[in-house]
Amino acid sequence: MSFSGHQPPPIFRRGPAPLVRLLLFVAVCLALLVADLRFRYLEVMRNALSVITYPLQMAAATPADVVRNAAHYFGTLIDVQHENAELRRHQLGAGERLLRFEQLEQENTRLRELLQMSQRVGVKSIAAEILYNAPDPFARKVILDRGTQQGVEAGLAVVDAQGVIGQVSRVHPIQSEVTLLTDRGQAIPVSVVRNGVRGVLYGNGRGTLEMRHALADVDLQPGDRLVTSGLDGVFVPGLPVATVLRVDRDADAFARIECAPLAAVERSVHVLVIGRAAYPPPPPETGKER
């Protein structure tokens, strides 16, 4: 049995042919396009449709917007964290540089003041730096970074920009030991600038000084300035030493005079080792027995 030439039943052949329908639809579309271009009658419909479909458009775009905004947010957050870390590093670096600058400025100020002190003294001086305190906890001594190789000798005075802080008590080739004015075993001859009264200052181990063996009627009063007298032949005369704090005349026959050092005895870092203006003459020889 052959199916060639088989035709569909008449029920499926209703209506125009497909080609006719296609041409008809194309003609209708062209007519609508031309009419819309000329009369704009579909503008209202398009606007209404855009308003009606806007929520659908937003709902459809929401997932993409969420993903895009989340990526932008986290990307921005990471960038901000990096920027904050970089700013903190810059801030720390700037703070460190500022501290170094302030420290250098203070050090330069102290060095200029030391230079002025050296010029006022007018004798050979050696610039030195305090390295550390002496290991003896019961003594007020410090170690300098200068020794015999730099010309330091035992007995020389050590000053900062404000005045005397102590005396060289022991010398090594590249270091030396300085006994501070406030040490119990340290004494220094002084005179009062106001009236020339002489005396000897002793350290008391508590950061202040005492003028001992002064009579109760001695002409001293709080605020008097004390300088080296130079009578010992070791300290250059006229170096600032201390100022009088209190004068107690009621203790006994001798007045109790408490003084404060003018120099930063416990805080100085840069100092000068002051040479002698002239070496003291040798002590007189005792007479030989005949």
Side-chain angles (χ1 to χ4, degrees), residues 157-198:
V158 181
V159 304
D160 66 3
Q162 284 74 39
V164 180
I165 71 166
Q167 186 177 16
V168 178
S169 54
R170 186 180 301 174
V171 184
H172 304 286
I174 58 175
Q175 293 181 342
S176 55
E177 180 186 81
V178 176
T179 301
L180 300 179
L181 286 181
T182 53
D183 186 82
R184 289 183 179 276
Q186 183 64 22
I188 178 172
V190 295
S191 62
V192 182
V193 175
R194 179 172 57 85
N195 53 21
V197 172
R198 294 190 295 270

Tab-separated table of all heavy atoms in Angstrom, residues 157-198:
chain	number	residue	atom	x	y	z
A	157	ALA	N	86.751	68.494	87.184
A	157	ALA	CA	85.343	68.817	87.389
A	157	ALA	C	84.534	68.422	86.159
A	157	ALA	O	85.013	68.500	85.023
A	157	ALA	CB	85.175	70.306	87.665
A	158	VAL	N	83.304	68.001	86.406
A	158	VAL	CA	82.379	67.631	85.329
A	158	VAL	C	81.155	68.533	85.457
A	158	VAL	O	80.564	68.631	86.546
A	158	VAL	CB	81.978	66.144	85.423
A	158	VAL	CG1	81.031	65.785	84.282
A	158	VAL	CG2	83.213	65.259	85.390
A	159	VAL	N	80.775	69.190	84.357
A	159	VAL	CA	79.672	70.146	84.383
A	159	VAL	C	78.712	69.839	83.247
A	159	VAL	O	79.072	69.178	82.262
A	159	VAL	CB	80.186	71.606	84.261
A	159	VAL	CG1	81.182	71.921	85.346
A	159	VAL	CG2	80.809	71.843	82.884
A	160	ASP	N	77.484	70.324	83.406
A	160	ASP	CA	76.563	70.375	82.280
A	160	ASP	C	76.314	71.844	81.954
A	160	ASP	O	77.084	72.716	82.378
A	160	ASP	CB	75.274	69.609	82.581
A	160	ASP	CG	74.453	70.240	83.696
A	160	ASP	OD1	74.853	71.310	84.216
A	160	ASP	OD2	73.404	69.670	84.058
A	161	ALA	N	75.256	72.145	81.215
A	161	ALA	CA	75.037	73.518	80.781
A	161	ALA	C	74.654	74.445	81.920
A	161	ALA	O	74.801	75.666	81.800
A	161	ALA	CB	73.941	73.552	79.705
A	162	GLN	N	74.182	73.904	83.077
A	162	GLN	CA	73.745	74.745	84.189
A	162	GLN	C	74.784	74.860	85.306
A	162	GLN	O	74.750	75.819	86.066
A	162	GLN	CB	72.441	74.199	84.782
A	162	GLN	CG	71.207	74.478	83.959
A	162	GLN	CD	71.130	73.607	82.729
A	162	GLN	OE1	71.466	72.427	82.775
A	162	GLN	NE2	70.699	74.179	81.623
A	163	GLY	N	75.684	73.900	85.418
A	163	GLY	CA	76.664	73.980	86.500
A	163	GLY	C	77.344	72.651	86.745
A	163	GLY	O	77.270	71.713	85.939
A	164	VAL	N	78.002	72.556	87.894
A	164	VAL	CA	78.797	71.385	88.241
A	164	VAL	C	77.869	70.226	88.598
A	164	VAL	O	76.891	70.396	89.331
A	164	VAL	CB	79.734	71.702	89.424
A	164	VAL	CG1	80.564	70.474	89.800
A	164	VAL	CG2	80.646	72.865	89.077
A	165	ILE	N	78.199	69.039	88.084
A	165	ILE	CA	77.449	67.843	88.473
A	165	ILE	C	78.294	66.866	89.280
A	165	ILE	O	77.750	65.993	89.956
A	165	ILE	CB	76.869	67.114	87.258
A	165	ILE	CG1	77.976	66.440	86.443
A	165	ILE	CG2	76.056	68.044	86.394
A	165	ILE	CD1	77.451	65.442	85.440
A	166	GLY	N	79.639	67.003	89.225
A	166	GLY	CA	80.457	66.068	89.992
A	166	GLY	C	81.927	66.205	89.655
A	166	GLY	O	82.370	67.201	89.073
A	167	GLN	N	82.672	65.164	90.003
A	167	GLN	CA	84.130	65.177	89.852
A	167	GLN	C	84.590	63.782	89.430
A	167	GLN	O	84.066	62.764	89.894
A	167	GLN	CB	84.784	65.579	91.178
A	167	GLN	CG	86.293	65.755	91.105
A	167	GLN	CD	86.860	66.212	92.432
A	167	GLN	OE1	86.189	66.108	93.471
A	167	GLN	NE2	88.071	66.727	92.432
A	168	VAL	N	85.570	63.762	88.511
A	168	VAL	CA	86.119	62.489	88.057
A	168	VAL	C	86.852	61.827	89.216
A	168	VAL	O	87.781	62.411	89.785
A	168	VAL	CB	87.061	62.692	86.859
A	168	VAL	CG1	87.667	61.346	86.438
A	168	VAL	CG2	86.325	63.330	85.692
A	169	SER	N	86.441	60.630	89.567
A	169	SER	CA	87.045	59.927	90.702
A	169	SER	C	87.900	58.736	90.281
A	169	SER	O	88.749	58.284	91.042
A	169	SER	CB	85.950	59.447	91.671
A	169	SER	OG	84.973	58.671	90.985
A	170	ARG	N	87.683	58.215	89.091
A	170	ARG	CA	88.466	57.076	88.613
A	170	ARG	C	88.503	57.127	87.103
A	170	ARG	O	87.498	57.435	86.465
A	170	ARG	CB	87.860	55.764	89.093
A	170	ARG	CG	88.701	54.523	88.773
A	170	ARG	CD	88.011	53.263	89.284
A	170	ARG	NE	87.800	53.318	90.735
A	170	ARG	CZ	87.126	52.397	91.408
A	170	ARG	NH1	86.574	51.367	90.758
A	170	ARG	NH2	86.978	52.501	92.716
A	171	VAL	N	89.697	56.811	86.546
A	171	VAL	CA	89.870	56.923	85.102
A	171	VAL	C	90.367	55.598	84.543
A	171	VAL	O	91.252	54.958	85.132
A	171	VAL	CB	90.856	58.053	84.744
A	171	VAL	CG1	90.942	58.221	83.231
A	171	VAL	CG2	90.431	59.356	85.377
A	172	HIS	N	89.777	55.207	83.404
A	172	HIS	CA	90.200	54.039	82.648
A	172	HIS	C	90.602	54.495	81.251
A	172	HIS	O	90.397	55.662	80.883
A	172	HIS	CB	89.066	53.016	82.581
A	172	HIS	CG	88.562	52.609	83.938
A	172	HIS	ND1	89.262	51.778	84.776
A	172	HIS	CD2	87.422	52.952	84.599
A	172	HIS	CE1	88.578	51.591	85.895
A	172	HIS	NE2	87.455	52.303	85.812
A	173	PRO	N	91.172	53.608	80.454
A	173	PRO	CA	91.627	54.048	79.123
A	173	PRO	C	90.538	54.676	78.261
A	173	PRO	O	90.772	55.694	77.601
A	173	PRO	CB	92.167	52.754	78.494
A	173	PRO	CG	92.606	51.937	79.653
A	173	PRO	CD	91.635	52.241	80.748
A	174	ILE	N	89.338	54.100	78.238
A	174	ILE	CA	88.290	54.638	77.363
A	174	ILE	C	87.038	55.041	78.139
A	174	ILE	O	86.064	55.477	77.534
A	174	ILE	CB	87.904	53.624	76.267
A	174	ILE	CG1	87.419	52.314	76.878
A	174	ILE	CG2	89.076	53.390	75.314
A	174	ILE	CD1	86.898	51.312	75.865
A	175	GLN	N	87.050	54.915	79.430
A	175	GLN	CA	85.924	55.311	80.261
A	175	GLN	C	86.438	55.940	81.543
A	175	GLN	O	87.618	55.806	81.886
A	175	GLN	CB	85.015	54.122	80.596
A	175	GLN	CG	84.273	53.537	79.425
A	175	GLN	CD	83.384	52.377	79.826
A	175	GLN	OE1	83.540	51.796	80.887
A	175	GLN	NE2	82.431	52.032	78.973
A	176	SER	N	85.548	56.613	82.236
A	176	SER	CA	85.908	57.212	83.520
A	176	SER	C	84.680	57.242	84.417
A	176	SER	O	83.544	57.272	83.936
A	176	SER	CB	86.470	58.622	83.331
A	176	SER	OG	85.566	59.438	82.618
A	177	GLU	N	84.952	57.249	85.708
A	177	GLU	CA	83.887	57.260	86.713
A	177	GLU	C	83.792	58.650	87.325
A	177	GLU	O	84.794	59.263	87.660
A	177	GLU	CB	84.185	56.222	87.785
A	177	GLU	CG	83.133	56.145	88.889
A	177	GLU	CD	83.568	55.201	89.994
A	177	GLU	OE1	84.357	55.645	90.849
A	177	GLU	OE2	83.121	54.051	89.998
A	178	VAL	N	82.572	59.123	87.465
A	178	VAL	CA	82.317	60.452	88.024
A	178	VAL	C	81.481	60.292	89.283
A	178	VAL	O	80.426	59.649	89.262
A	178	VAL	CB	81.588	61.350	87.009
A	178	VAL	CG1	81.237	62.697	87.640
A	178	VAL	CG2	82.425	61.552	85.767
A	179	THR	N	81.961	60.884	90.364
A	179	THR	CA	81.186	60.925	91.607
A	179	THR	C	80.349	62.192	91.602
A	179	THR	O	80.875	63.304	91.489
A	179	THR	CB	82.115	60.921	92.828
A	179	THR	OG1	82.927	59.736	92.793
A	179	THR	CG2	81.313	60.935	94.112
A	180	LEU	N	79.042	62.034	91.695
A	180	LEU	CA	78.136	63.176	91.615
A	180	LEU	C	78.187	64.006	92.888
A	180	LEU	O	78.588	63.519	93.958
A	180	LEU	CB	76.706	62.687	91.369
A	180	LEU	CG	76.492	61.876	90.087
A	180	LEU	CD1	75.044	61.429	89.984
A	180	LEU	CD2	76.885	62.677	88.857
A	181	LEU	N	77.765	65.252	92.762
A	181	LEU	CA	77.771	66.161	93.919
A	181	LEU	C	76.920	65.637	95.055
A	181	LEU	O	77.214	65.896	96.225
A	181	LEU	CB	77.246	67.541	93.499
A	181	LEU	CG	78.167	68.437	92.666
A	181	LEU	CD1	77.461	69.753	92.392
A	181	LEU	CD2	79.487	68.669	93.366
A	182	THR	N	75.860	64.916	94.730
A	182	THR	CA	74.932	64.474	95.761
A	182	THR	C	75.399	63.211	96.488
A	182	THR	O	74.711	62.745	97.401
A	182	THR	CB	73.556	64.214	95.127
A	182	THR	OG1	73.713	63.327	94.013
A	182	THR	CG2	72.936	65.515	94.639
A	183	ASP	N	76.553	62.651	96.104
A	183	ASP	CA	77.075	61.474	96.802
A	183	ASP	C	77.537	61.873	98.202
A	183	ASP	O	78.050	62.980	98.416
A	183	ASP	CB	78.233	60.885	96.003
A	183	ASP	CG	78.731	59.575	96.582
A	183	ASP	OD1	78.120	58.534	96.294
A	183	ASP	OD2	79.727	59.611	97.351
A	184	ARG	N	77.374	60.947	99.154
A	184	ARG	CA	77.733	61.252	100.543
A	184	ARG	C	79.219	61.547	100.712
A	184	ARG	O	79.607	62.284	101.631
A	184	ARG	CB	77.347	60.079	101.448
A	184	ARG	CG	75.848	59.910	101.639
A	184	ARG	CD	75.542	58.777	102.590
A	184	ARG	NE	74.115	58.604	102.799
A	184	ARG	CZ	73.407	59.297	103.684
A	184	ARG	NH1	74.001	60.195	104.456
A	184	ARG	NH2	72.109	59.095	103.808
A	185	GLY	N	80.039	60.985	99.877
A	185	GLY	CA	81.474	61.197	100.037
A	185	GLY	C	82.038	62.341	99.232
A	185	GLY	O	83.268	62.509	99.181
A	186	GLN	N	81.192	63.149	98.609
A	186	GLN	CA	81.672	64.215	97.746
A	186	GLN	C	81.583	65.565	98.457
A	186	GLN	O	80.612	65.859	99.155
A	186	GLN	CB	80.859	64.265	96.450
A	186	GLN	CG	81.329	65.293	95.439
A	186	GLN	CD	82.719	65.016	94.921
A	186	GLN	OE1	83.195	63.892	94.982
A	186	GLN	NE2	83.380	66.036	94.422
A	187	ALA	N	82.622	66.378	98.304
A	187	ALA	CA	82.662	67.730	98.877
A	187	ALA	C	83.241	68.677	97.843
A	187	ALA	O	84.074	68.284	97.018
A	187	ALA	CB	83.495	67.759	100.149
A	188	ILE	N	82.795	69.922	97.883
A	188	ILE	CA	83.262	70.915	96.923
A	188	ILE	C	83.313	72.275	97.604
A	188	ILE	O	82.340	72.700	98.245
A	188	ILE	CB	82.341	70.941	95.681
A	188	ILE	CG1	82.805	72.007	94.691
A	188	ILE	CG2	80.897	71.158	96.064
A	188	ILE	CD1	82.050	71.942	93.363
A	189	PRO	N	84.441	72.982	97.536
A	189	PRO	CA	84.534	74.319	98.144
A	189	PRO	C	83.796	75.353	97.300
A	189	PRO	O	83.911	75.364	96.073
A	189	PRO	CB	86.046	74.589	98.155
A	189	PRO	CG	86.609	73.746	97.067
A	189	PRO	CD	85.741	72.537	96.968
A	190	VAL	N	83.021	76.198	97.967
A	190	VAL	CA	82.196	77.171	97.258
A	190	VAL	C	82.314	78.522	97.922
A	190	VAL	O	82.854	78.655	99.041
A	190	VAL	CB	80.709	76.735	97.242
A	190	VAL	CG1	80.530	75.461	96.445
A	190	VAL	CG2	80.176	76.578	98.662
A	191	SER	N	81.783	79.515	97.239
A	191	SER	CA	81.662	80.859	97.794
A	191	SER	C	80.321	81.436	97.369
A	191	SER	O	79.747	81.028	96.345
A	191	SER	CB	82.803	81.766	97.317
A	191	SER	OG	82.765	81.921	95.904
A	192	VAL	N	79.808	82.367	98.157
A	192	VAL	CA	78.513	82.984	97.894
A	192	VAL	C	78.720	84.157	96.951
A	192	VAL	O	79.576	85.018	97.191
A	192	VAL	CB	77.843	83.442	99.202
A	192	VAL	CG1	76.471	84.030	98.921
A	192	VAL	CG2	77.750	82.284	100.181
A	193	VAL	N	77.955	84.186	95.880
A	193	VAL	CA	78.111	85.256	94.892
A	193	VAL	C	77.793	86.614	95.514
A	193	VAL	O	78.454	87.623	95.223
A	193	VAL	CB	77.201	84.977	93.675
A	193	VAL	CG1	77.244	86.144	92.694
A	193	VAL	CG2	77.614	83.692	92.986
A	194	ARG	N	76.814	86.659	96.390
A	194	ARG	CA	76.353	87.932	96.937
A	194	ARG	C	77.385	88.609	97.820
A	194	ARG	O	77.579	89.829	97.750
A	194	ARG	CB	75.056	87.707	97.735
A	194	ARG	CG	74.469	88.950	98.375
A	194	ARG	CD	73.097	88.660	98.963
A	194	ARG	NE	73.150	87.578	99.943
A	194	ARG	CZ	73.459	87.770	101.244
A	194	ARG	NH1	73.724	88.983	101.706
A	194	ARG	NH2	73.470	86.735	102.071
A	195	ASN	N	78.082	87.866	98.670
A	195	ASN	CA	78.990	88.505	99.634
A	195	ASN	C	80.355	87.846	99.726
A	195	ASN	O	81.199	88.276	100.514
A	195	ASN	CB	78.352	88.534	101.029
A	195	ASN	CG	77.889	87.153	101.463
A	195	ASN	OD1	78.354	86.140	100.952
A	195	ASN	ND2	76.959	87.110	102.415
A	196	GLY	N	80.606	86.779	98.959
A	196	GLY	CA	81.911	86.151	98.975
A	196	GLY	C	82.165	85.214	100.133
A	196	GLY	O	83.304	84.732	100.293
A	197	VAL	N	81.164	84.919	100.977
A	197	VAL	CA	81.346	83.984	102.085
A	197	VAL	C	81.717	82.614	101.525
A	197	VAL	O	81.097	82.124	100.582
A	197	VAL	CB	80.068	83.901	102.940
A	197	VAL	CG1	80.174	82.787	103.969
A	197	VAL	CG2	79.814	85.237	103.616
A	198	ARG	N	82.763	81.994	102.126
A	198	ARG	CA	83.232	80.700	101.637
A	198	ARG	C	82.751	79.580	102.544
A	198	ARG	O	82.476	79.777	103.732
A	198	ARG	CB	84.750	80.692	101.550
A	198	ARG	CG	85.315	81.639	100.507
A	198	ARG	CD	86.792	81.394	100.305
A	198	ARG	NE	87.547	81.703	101.512
A	198	ARG	CZ	88.062	82.898	101.801
A	198	ARG	NH1	87.890	83.901	100.944
A	198	ARG	NH2	88.746	83.101	102.912
